[in-house]
Structures are given as structure tokens and as C-alpha cells.
């Protein structure tokens, strides 16, 4: 089956040669072809170029994209979309002046979600989560990482990861699963951190590995949560089972966590609302992708990741949603891209690179996703008629996506 898009106003993120990621000043370059064609064959990108070189394919499904922009689907490399219930009351509590830490100390936050998850059946969690997954696909996300971390018990974590596995089996979107047992300390282990870490390492990890339920391992490396030393122990244990680290770090404080992550081969370090000059130096020339989560900053009114400082220092940056019930109840990558431009002063080119090719790197899938490259998955967005692709972040409250194609299929 062939689908040929013709007369594309702007075809974005075209890469003749495969690249893993872009960094620094290269992030301001978004390769594009004006008045272009794009050929999809089965579920792959088969060809693209200028309309003057468009092939004649009488048997193809031909779609006229006059006035429209085509770009790769968004890659969301950091989410928690498998959960039970909601935390709407905490939203109101924050409006009334309580901080994230105060809400957590009252039994809210992650522990609130953990209680709900452990009281909810696996089937019900799946039914709730698939609605969220379908929504983000409609909004243009074509690949997503999903974390556990609201179980905080052996059975709870397994339950979440089994739901993620089932979503992966039932939907065309690429999904990577991350084990985040080290999300918070359950109340029963509040005074005995080592016992909970032993539970993660000696009970959770072997069972997760035996069922092949996770691709990555994560921890909430933060003051009041998991220390640098505790996180190193968890990263080392995960690597023994082939789970590469992707770590929450520097959301509220900088405690040399990024250095520990880089030294332990983390694929990504995520949040980074607080970044020191030392952190930037450590990240230079590393394989670790910094990931910013601007809609989290927006929702709970904390600082935004200092994108300009990081890009000016030559670093790469990815963007993701952090979709979760407490601090970012939205998986809309269009809003993330717009917020990065508006609040983090990223250019549209930088933000689109961060939400496509660099997001794919942070998920470990840049060989197959994140750019318009021959042989990659046919994951593309077709916009409404636009003045230019700058309108995507400019009209931040408008849904400008007309069609979403994932693995060659219209969603």
C-alpha cells in the first residue's frame, strides 16, 4: 500500500542521513523542503523531495497537502500515564497556597496516587490508561515512554508494568516501559530506606526482568526522596538486568545528581528546573540527553529549565510532557512545544527538534523515529492550512493538527 502526499507547503525535519540527536547551535536548524512530496509505503517512509521530482504513481492513495505542513509525530520520552483516579483536590490545595512538599507531607502527592493504584484492579487501570493513550495519539504523539512508580509494592509495580505491556501490544504507537519503583518511599519504609531499596533490588527487579516488563530504570533523585548514593545503587542494580537509567533529577534542588547519572551511563536526565554551571560542564560531551518538562513548570509554578543557557553551552535538549495525575495532567505535546517557545525562549526550530529527533534519542528509538528519513517509521502529522510552521507554537490554544499517521495508518 502506497500513500503519496503532494504539494506539501513545508515538509519539516527532513534528514537524508541518519543522525542520533542535535545539540547546541545545530538545534536552531530544522531542515525542510518547500512544495514537497512524501511517499509512504506500508508503514515506512519510502521517499520525499521537491514536487518537481515527484514520482507518478497511479495506484497510490494520493493526498493533496496544499497549504499544509507535514512533520514527524511528537516523541514524548517522559510520562506517567498509567495511573488510577486523579489528584484534583491537590490542584485546589496548591491554588490555596500549599506547596508540593506540604501536600506530600500530608499524605498527598505520589503516595496518594500509590494508595489509589493499589486499591484499583489491573483491568480498571488499563481501561483508564488507554483513554489517555488514545488522546495523546490524537494530539500527535507517535511514540511514548511510560513509567511505573505508583505501585511502590511488588504487586503494584508489576500491575502497572503489565498494563504498559498490554498497551504496547494493543496500540500501533511505539511504547517504552520504565521501572520507577524508586519514585517515593512508602510510609512503612519512611524510616527504613535501605529495606525499601532492598525490596526494589532483590524482589521487584528479578520479577520484572523475568517477565521482560521494562526497558529502563528510573529514580526520583531529589532532596527528601532518593539520595545520590541510593540512586547510584538503584542504577547499578538495574544495569545488571539490562535496564539503562533514565532519571528524575534537579527538579527542586541541585545535589550533584546529574554527575552521578552521567557517570552511570544514564540515557537521559529529566526535569532540570534547577541547573548549575557544574551540571552543564558534566553534561558536555556525554551520551546523556537532558529532558525539559515545561508543562510541569507551568502547572505547579516552579522555574522552567534554563534552555538558553544549556543550548548556548552546546548541549542538546529534549522536550516531554511528564503527563501524570499530580503535577502535569496533560499529555499535549503541542502545548509543550508552544510553552518551550513562550516561556523558555526556545525558537520553533529548537523546540521541534527537541520534541522529535531528541525525544527519540531520549527514548532510545532515534533509528526508527523522530525525523523524515527513508526507512524510518511512517509517523507523521498533517496540519491544517498554515501561514508557516511558526503558527504551531504561536496559536498555542488551537488544535492545528488535521491528521495523525502512525506506522502508516491514519489514527
Amino acid at each position: 500500500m502506497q500513500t503519496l502526499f503532494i504539494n506539501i507547503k513545508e515538509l519539516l525535519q527532513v534528514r537524508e542521513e541518519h543522525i542520533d540527536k542535535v545539540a547546541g547551535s545545530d538545534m536552531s536548524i530544522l531542515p525542510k523542503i518547500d512544495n514537497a512530496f512524501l511517499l509512504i509505503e506500508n508503514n515506512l517512509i519510502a521517499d520525499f523531495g521537491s514536487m518537481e521530482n515527484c514520482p507518478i504513481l497511479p495506484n497510490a492513495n494520493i493526498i493533496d497537502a496544499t497549504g499544509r505542513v507535514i512533520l514527524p509525530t511528537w516523541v514524548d520520552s517522559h510520562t506517567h500515564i498509567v495511573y488510577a483516579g486523579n489528584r484534583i483536590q491537590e490542584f485546589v490545595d496548591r491554588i490555596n497556597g500549599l506547596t508540593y512538599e506540604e501536600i506530600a507531607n500530608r499524605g498527598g502527592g505520589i503516595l496518594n496516587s500509590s494508595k489509589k493504584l493499589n486499591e484499583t484492579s489491573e483491568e480498571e487501570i488499563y481501561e483508564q490508561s488507554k483513554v489517555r493513550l488514545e488522546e495523546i495519539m490524537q494530539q500527535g504523539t507517535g511514540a511514548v515512554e511510560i513509567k511505573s512508580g505508583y505501585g511502590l509494592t511488588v504487586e503494584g509495580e508489576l500491575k502497572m508494568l503489565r498494563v504498559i505491556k498490554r498497551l504496547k501490544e494493543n496500540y500501533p504507537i511505539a511504547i517504552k516501559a520504565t521501572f520507577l519503583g524508586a519514585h517515593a518511599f512508602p510510609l512503612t519504609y519512611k524510616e527504613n530506606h535501605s529495606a525499601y531499596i532492598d525490596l526494589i533490588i532483590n524482589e521487584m527487579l528479578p520479577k520484572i526482568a523475568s517477565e521482560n516488563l521494562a526497558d529502563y530504570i528510573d529514580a526520583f533523585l531529589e532532596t527528601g526522596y532518593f539520595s545520590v548514593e541510593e540512586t547510584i545503587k538503584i542504577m547499578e542494580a538495574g544495569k545488571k538486568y539490562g535496564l539503562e537509567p533514565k532519571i528524575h533529577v534537579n527538579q527542586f534542588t541541585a545535589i550533584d545528581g546529574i554527575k552521578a547519572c552521567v557517570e552511570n551511563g544514564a540515557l537521559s536526565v529529566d526535569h532540570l528546573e534547577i541547573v548549575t554551571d557544574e551540571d552543564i560542564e558534566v553534561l558536555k560531551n556525554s551520551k546523556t540527553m537532558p529532558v525539559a518538562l515545561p508543562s510541569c513548570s507551568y502547572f505547579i509554578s516552579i522555574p522552567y529549565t534554563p534552555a538558553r543557557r544549556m543550548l548556548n553551552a552546546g548541549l542538546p535538549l529534549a522536550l516531554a510532557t511528564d503527563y501524570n495525575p499530580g503535577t502535569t495532567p496533560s499529555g499535549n505535546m503541542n502545548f509543550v512545544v508552544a510553552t518551550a517557545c513562550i516561556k523558555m525562549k526556545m525558537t520553533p526550530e529548537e523546540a521541534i527538534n527537541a520534541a522529535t529527533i531528541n525525544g527519540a534519542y531520549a527514548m532510545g528509538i532515534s533509528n526508527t523515529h523522530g525525523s523524515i528519513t527513508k526507512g524510518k517509521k511512517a509517523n507523521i502529522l498533517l496540519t491544517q492550512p498554515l501561514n508557516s510552521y511558526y503558527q504551531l507554537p504561536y496559536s498555542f490554544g488551537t488544535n492545528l493538527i488535521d491528521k495523525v499517521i502512525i506506522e502508516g495508518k491514519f489514527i
Side-chain angles (χ1 to χ4, degrees), residues 186-251:
L187 289 176
T188 47
Y189 293 96
K190 197 171 183 184
E191 305 304 324
N192 192 355
H193 286 195
S194 61
Y196 184 60
I197 290 167
D198 285 346
L199 184 74
I200 289 171
I201 292 171
N202 299 322
E203 291 193 47
M204 293 185 190
L205 267 172
K207 288 184 177 175
I208 289 162
S210 71
E211 292 187 42
N212 195 25
L213 291 174
D215 303 291
Y216 300 110
I217 192 161
D218 194 352
F220 190 9
L221 198 176
E222 183 56 77
T223 302
Y225 290 84
F226 288 79
S227 70
V228 173
E229 294 72 24
E230 289 165 342
T231 303
I232 289 171
K233 193 179 282 191
I234 288 157
M235 288 192 284
E236 288 174 344
K239 285 191 287 187
K240 286 176 184 168
Y241 291 95
L243 305 183
E244 203 172 1
K246 281 170 61 66
I247 305 294
H248 286 64
V249 65
N250 283 46
Q251 183 173 4

Side-chain angles (χ1 to χ4, degrees), residues 30-64:
L30 185 66
K32 73 179 181 108
I33 302 172
D34 295 331
N35 191 27
F37 76 90
L38 172 67
L39 176 64
I40 290 172
E41 200 159 348
N42 298 321
N43 67 338
L44 300 176
I45 293 166
D47 198 7
F48 57 84
S50 171
M51 272 305 293
E52 62 192 32
N53 298 317
C54 184
I56 297 169
L57 300 167
N59 296 322
N61 174 30
I62 295 175
I63 297 172
D64 190 342

Side-chain angles (χ1 to χ4, degrees), residues 304 335-346 393-394 396:
Y304 289 87
F335 179 74
V336 166
V337 167
T339 305
C341 294
I342 297 162
K343 294 295 186 181
M344 292 163 59
K345 303 302 180 213
M346 295 178 74
Y394 168 79
F396 69 93

Side-chain angles (χ1 to χ4, degrees), residues 36-345:
F37 76 90
L38 172 67
L39 176 64
I40 290 172
E41 200 159 348
N42 298 321
N43 67 338
L44 300 176
I45 293 166
D47 198 7
F48 57 84
S50 171
M51 272 305 293
E52 62 192 32
N53 298 317
C54 184
I56 297 169
L57 300 167
N59 296 322
N61 174 30
I62 295 175
I63 297 172
D64 190 342
T66 297
R68 300 165 189 265
V69 174
I70 288 181
L71 67 157
T73 51
W74 309 123
V75 179
D76 190 351
S77 67
H78 182 126
T79 81
H80 307 253
I81 67 174
V82 169
Y83 60 83
N86 62 69
R87 290 184 0 221
I88 293 171
Q89 184 56 48
E90 293 177 17
F91 169 64
V92 179
D93 289 342
R94 269 196 306 278
I95 294 169
N96 286 321
L98 290 183
T99 66
Y100 182 90
E101 291 83 356
E102 286 167 337
I103 290 167
N105 290 337
R106 293 190 344 171
I110 295 163
L111 296 183
N112 183 2
S113 287
S114 175
K115 183 173 184 292
K116 286 175 179 161
L117 184 119
N118 283 297
E119 292 169 350
T120 306
S121 71
E122 187 172 318
E123 183 61 31
E124 177 56 27
I125 294 164
Y126 175 80
E127 290 298 320
Q128 291 182 28
S129 301
K130 79 174 189 181
V131 172
R132 293 186 282 268
L133 183 67
E134 289 169 5
E135 179 187 47
I136 67 167
M137 290 166 69
Q138 292 287 351
Q139 292 170 339
T141 294
V144 63
E145 180 258 20
I146 309 174
K147 302 176 190 294
S148 68
Y150 294 127
L152 307 184
T153 62
V154 176
E155 274 313 307
E157 290 296 304
L158 287 170
K159 182 161 64 172
M160 289 188 75
L161 289 164
R162 287 173 185 143
V163 168
I164 297 169
K165 184 178 183 181
R166 195 168 153 198
L167 292 170
K168 192 186 296 191
E169 290 166 349
N170 292 343
Y171 288 88
I173 184 171
I175 295 175
K176 291 285 189 179
T178 298
F179 168 50
L180 178 55
H183 202 186
F185 287 98
L187 289 176
T188 47
Y189 293 96
K190 197 171 183 184
E191 305 304 324
N192 192 355
H193 286 195
S194 61
Y196 184 60
I197 290 167
D198 285 346
L199 184 74
I200 289 171
I201 292 171
N202 299 322
E203 291 193 47
M204 293 185 190
L205 267 172
K207 288 184 177 175
I208 289 162
S210 71
E211 292 187 42
N212 195 25
L213 291 174
D215 303 291
Y216 300 110
I217 192 161
D218 194 352
F220 190 9
L221 198 176
E222 183 56 77
T223 302
Y225 290 84
F226 288 79
S227 70
V228 173
E229 294 72 24
E230 289 165 342
T231 303
I232 289 171
K233 193 179 282 191
I234 288 157
M235 288 192 284
E236 288 174 344
K239 285 191 287 187
K240 286 176 184 168
Y241 291 95
L243 305 183
E244 203 172 1
K246 281 170 61 66
I247 305 294
H248 286 64
V249 65
N250 283 46
Q251 183 173 4
F252 304 111
T253 57
I255 52 175
D256 284 335
I258 289 176
K259 182 171 183 283
C261 294
V262 169
E263 288 174 350
N264 280 273
L267 177 61
S268 72
V269 284
D270 302 28
H271 271 292
L272 313 187
E273 287 85 352
I274 308 297
V275 179
T276 67
D277 291 341
E278 291 78 15
D279 292 328
I280 288 174
E281 286 304 311
V282 164
L283 284 165
K284 281 182 181 176
N285 303 313
S286 75
K287 65 162 232 170
T288 303
M289 175 65 71
V291 180
L293 311 170
S295 47
C296 176
S297 298
Y298 172 86
F299 191 73
I300 63 171
S301 300
I302 60 175
Y304 289 87
T305 302
R308 287 264 55 89
R309 264 178 62 216
M310 296 167 73
L311 297 182
N312 291 345
L315 295 183
L317 189 64
L319 291 168
T321 65
D322 194 24
Y323 193 175
N324 75 78
T327 62
T328 325
S330 166
N332 190 337
M333 281 292 288
N334 304 285
F335 179 74
V336 166
V337 167
T339 305
C341 294
I342 297 162
K343 294 295 186 181
M344 292 163 59
K345 303 302 180 213

Side-chain angles (χ1 to χ4, degrees), residues 6-35:
I6 60 171
N7 302 321
I8 304 162
K9 180 173 179 150
E10 297 173 305
L11 180 62
L12 305 183
Q13 193 60 285
V14 290
R15 306 275 179 181
E16 291 282 356
E17 301 296 325
H18 169 74
I19 59 164
D20 285 330
K21 59 184 177 182
V22 285
S25 60
D26 288 341
M27 286 194 66
S28 67
I29 302 164
L30 185 66
K32 73 179 181 108
I33 302 172
D34 295 331
N35 191 27

